[in-house]
Amino acid sequence: MNSETVAAPGATFNYAAHLLDLNAGRASKTAYIDDAGTLSYDELADGVRRVAAALLDAGLRREERVLLLMHDCNDWPVAFLGAMYAGVVPVAVNTLLPADDYQYMLQHSRAQAALVSNALLPVLRDAMQKGGHEVGKVIVSRADDALQQGEQAFADFVAAAKPLAQAAATSADDPGFWLYSSGSTGKPKGTVHTHANPYWTSELYGKGVLGITEDDVCFSAAKLFFAYGLGNALTFPLTVGATSVLLGGRPTPDVIYQRLVEHQPTLFFGAPTGYVAMLAYPDIPGNDKLALRLGVSAGEALPADLAQRFGERFGIDVIDGIGSTEMLHIYISNRPGEVRFGSSGYPVPGYDIELRGDDGLPVADGEIGDLYVRGPSAALMYWNNREKSRDTFQGEWTKSGDKYVHNEDGSYTCSGRSDDMLRVSGMYVSPFEVEATLVEHPAVLESAVIGKVDDDGLTKTKAFIVLAEGQQASAEDLQAFVKDRLAPHKYPRFVEFVDELPKTATGKIQRFRLREREAGA
């Protein structure tokens, strides 16, 4: 399947209306299961149309933004799609940030309203009190009785509106929603996606790679405000009429297993650190209590040993892939029944890949290059950031910021983020390659590798190690283990044992935090 064989959206295309039309015959089927109850497809459609009408009644206009700061729950898809149905642009943001970040996002997006979980209302109030931008209305999901002036319970906001009969006549290329992409430095970047972009990821990856059907039950440890989680728990399942399980709190192993047993998901979406924690959990349920048919991993490259161990333990494939906020979801992926362990797999049909050197020219197979991707789900731009938009969105191509190698069999192997790559003895060293080797040692639970300047001013590799519970190993043991498996210049000259590694909310290791710590030592 490629983008030429998938029918493109028409000139007038509203993504929310598209999903409601697809599921018009599934009125009583369960669309969502959250911590408090269920939401049928009929209830979803009614809620979407009511939110759309309520936002317009509140004075919001086409293409104005509304902040969506909400824990995963049944109100989330209703709010997100309701805004899109009205032609209003939802700005879905990370629920784990401090007030200063929300202050910046409110000001940067010029959001005219905010949809927020009750538990997150205090940090939003704090952000608004810091000033910079006035928000006209705050709608509170699962509200208590302590609301202030300008705030309204989401349930009342929706119930008071008459369902909007006709969706906004948006086009496929109109701004549909924003997601904030934040690198290791600088302000978060408002990534502007169109109404058509989630259509393409659902057709090309959701159907084409996952083979998702209406019989599937999806459970994503990655939250809806992430591009990865948005596809897993909203766009893919709603495209085929499947059911999604939502989790409001942290996806700890005990909570994950509870939902895998109780709700019988068939598709599970996680990140490498989550899979590590799940395998280390002492009370893993038997496979006879689960209904899993496939595991999916993204966010950071999945070590071969971890993928094999998890797959063998549960009798399923775990397919790794790479995607990004800028491309909305995964564009290189392994396939069910066709897994090349240790690699990100093969280009998803509909996407083209190029690896380029520092001179901008293609590199040879087996050489490390900068990854560029071309496909129909690319974002329009970073809002109000021309410099970074030009650097990332280069004509038809999107610069990923990742280093990759193209293998002889057509697969691609991750060599890390461009800003994580090391030069040791004049040669590139991929931190991920060293980390993936270290975690093959039975005593190692997790590892992170950075560059450390030695007393001679030369860059050498340093490994931070989290040992598995009850295990012991010396630095010399681990160094010898890597020497036996990789080129001599790649083994970690320095080893430090730590209790935990710094990570993002998605479970990605923050190597820059380790570099900052090392620089300040």
Side-chain angles (χ1 to χ4, degrees):
M1 182 187 294
N2 57 51
S3 56
E4 285 73 34
T5 62
V6 175
T12 300
F13 182 76
N14 182 291
Y15 184 68
H18 166 71
L19 291 182
L20 298 194
D21 289 344
L22 288 176
N23 294 294
R26 297 188 175 95
S28 62
K29 184 176 181 183
T30 298
Y32 284 98
I33 305 169
D34 73 0
D35 300 335
T38 63
L39 185 76
S40 72
Y41 271 96
D42 189 46
E43 291 168 333
L44 173 66
D46 181 67
V48 166
R49 293 189 174 100
R50 288 179 183 275
V51 166
L55 288 172
L56 297 177
D57 291 344
L60 273 83
R61 297 171 293 182
R62 284 275 298 271
E63 297 186 15
E64 288 185 329
R65 272 76 63 191
V66 55
L67 193 81
L68 181 54
L69 175 59
M70 199 180 288
H71 290 137
D72 283 17
C73 67
N74 292 344
D75 288 344
W76 205 106
V78 172
F80 182 83
L81 294 174
M84 293 185 73
Y85 195 86
V88 174
V89 179
V91 179
V93 299
N94 191 326
T95 59
L96 302 172
L97 301 177
D100 286 346
D101 283 343
Y102 298 133
Q103 178 199 19
Y104 170 78
M105 291 171 178
L106 287 168
Q107 186 171 359
H108 181 249
S109 67
R110 297 192 289 276
Q112 298 300 300
L115 296 150
V116 59
S117 288
N118 190 74
L120 296 169
L121 187 54
V123 71
L124 179 66
R125 287 171 176 164
D126 190 10
M128 293 190 296
Q129 288 171 359
K130 291 175 179 290
H133 174 71
E134 195 74 28
V135 176
K137 192 169 187 64
V138 175
I139 302 102
V140 185
S141 172
R142 314 281 169 92
D144 59 21
D145 296 326
L147 298 183
Q148 299 177 2
Q149 185 176 358
E151 299 171 352
Q152 184 179 4
F154 183 85
D156 296 338
F157 181 71
V158 174
K162 180 180 178 182
L164 188 65
Q166 188 70 37
T170 52
S171 75
D173 289 336
D174 272 344
F177 59 95
W178 292 16
L179 300 172
Y180 270 96
S181 174
S182 180
S184 58
T185 60
K187 294 289 187 182
K189 301 183 290 293
T191 310
V192 182
H193 278 286
T194 70
H195 274 265
N197 286 358
Y199 169 86
W200 286 113
T201 59
S202 297
E203 294 294 323
L204 298 176
Y205 180 80
K207 292 182 180 179
V209 173
L210 299 180
I212 189 170
T213 73
E214 63 180 339
D215 295 326
D216 279 309
V217 177
C218 302
F219 178 36
S220 176
K223 300 299 186 180
L224 281 162
F225 60 77
F226 294 114
Y228 180 43
L230 183 66
N232 305 340
L234 194 151
T235 63
F236 300 164
L238 295 188
T239 294
V240 297
T243 298
S244 290
V245 177
L246 300 179
L247 170 63
R250 291 181 59 242
T252 55
D254 57 331
V255 173
I256 290 174
Y257 284 126
Q258 178 187 359
R259 280 153 182 77
L260 290 178
V261 172
E262 182 178 355
H263 301 302
Q264 296 289 287
T266 55
L267 291 172
F268 175 71
F269 303 86
T273 52
Y275 283 110
V276 168
M278 289 175 70
L279 281 178
Y281 187 65
D283 193 19
I284 299 175
N287 291 358
D288 59 328
K289 296 182 179 179
L290 307 177
L292 288 177
R293 70 169 180 87
L294 185 66
V296 181
S297 182
E300 194 159 39
L302 181 69
D305 176 67
L306 176 58
Q308 288 174 304
R309 288 191 292 119
F310 196 94
E312 291 169 359
R313 173 62 182 79
F314 293 97
I316 60 171
D317 282 336
V318 181
I319 59 171
D320 190 21
I322 178 176
S324 67
T325 303
E326 292 75 11
M327 295 302 295
L328 191 56
H329 212 275
I330 292 170
Y331 51 82
I332 298 177
S333 181
N334 285 276
R335 310 284 196 276
E338 187 184 359
V339 178
R340 188 184 192 277
F341 291 111
S343 83
S344 296
Y346 309 86
V348 172
Y351 294 90
D352 299 313
I353 304 298
E354 282 189 4
L355 301 184
R356 303 176 187 174
D358 294 338
D359 56 5
L361 299 176
V363 301
D365 286 358
E367 293 185 6
I368 296 173
D370 291 306
L371 175 63
Y372 287 75
V373 54
R374 176 172 62 187
S377 63
L380 291 173
M381 61 179 160
Y382 298 129
W383 182 263
N384 198 20
N385 197 332
R386 180 173 294 195
E387 180 182 357
K388 289 191 179 296
S389 292
R390 283 176 169 172
D391 182 56
T392 298
F393 305 107
Q394 302 181 11
E396 293 184 301
W397 294 90
T398 299
K399 181 181 179 181
S400 74
D402 295 288
K403 294 281 190 181
Y404 262 77
V405 172
H406 185 234
N407 305 308
E408 291 183 359
D409 65 354
S411 64
Y412 288 82
T413 300
C414 179
S415 293
R417 292 289 295 173
S418 296
D419 53 4
D420 286 332
M421 291 298 293
L422 305 174
R423 280 268 191 184
V424 178
S425 301
M427 294 174 283
Y428 268 129
V429 173
S430 162
F432 173 73
E433 182 183 21
V434 182
E435 293 164 3
T437 302
L438 284 164
V439 297
E440 291 179 6
H441 192 287
V444 176
L445 179 65
E446 293 181 302
S447 69
V449 171
I450 65 168
K452 174 181 171 68
V453 178
D454 65 14
D455 293 338
D456 296 319
L458 301 175
T459 297
K460 301 292 173 62
T461 49
K462 176 172 181 176
F464 293 84
I465 303 294
V466 179
L467 292 175
E469 187 174 356
Q471 296 290 324
Q472 292 185 339
S474 67
E476 293 75 18
D477 291 338
L478 300 180
Q479 289 168 329
F481 186 81
V482 175
K483 282 182 184 178
D484 287 343
R485 289 159 176 79
L486 298 179
H489 69 283
K490 296 182 179 180
Y491 87 90
R493 304 309 204 273
F494 307 96
V495 176
E496 181 177 339
F497 295 95
V498 295
D499 293 331
E500 60 181 1
L501 299 173
K503 296 171 188 171
T504 67
T506 51
K508 294 181 184 179
I509 295 171
Q510 294 177 309
R511 295 176 188 83
F512 76 94
R513 297 288 186 200
L514 297 172
R515 290 194 292 267
E516 289 173 352
R517 195 182 95 178
E518 197 67 27

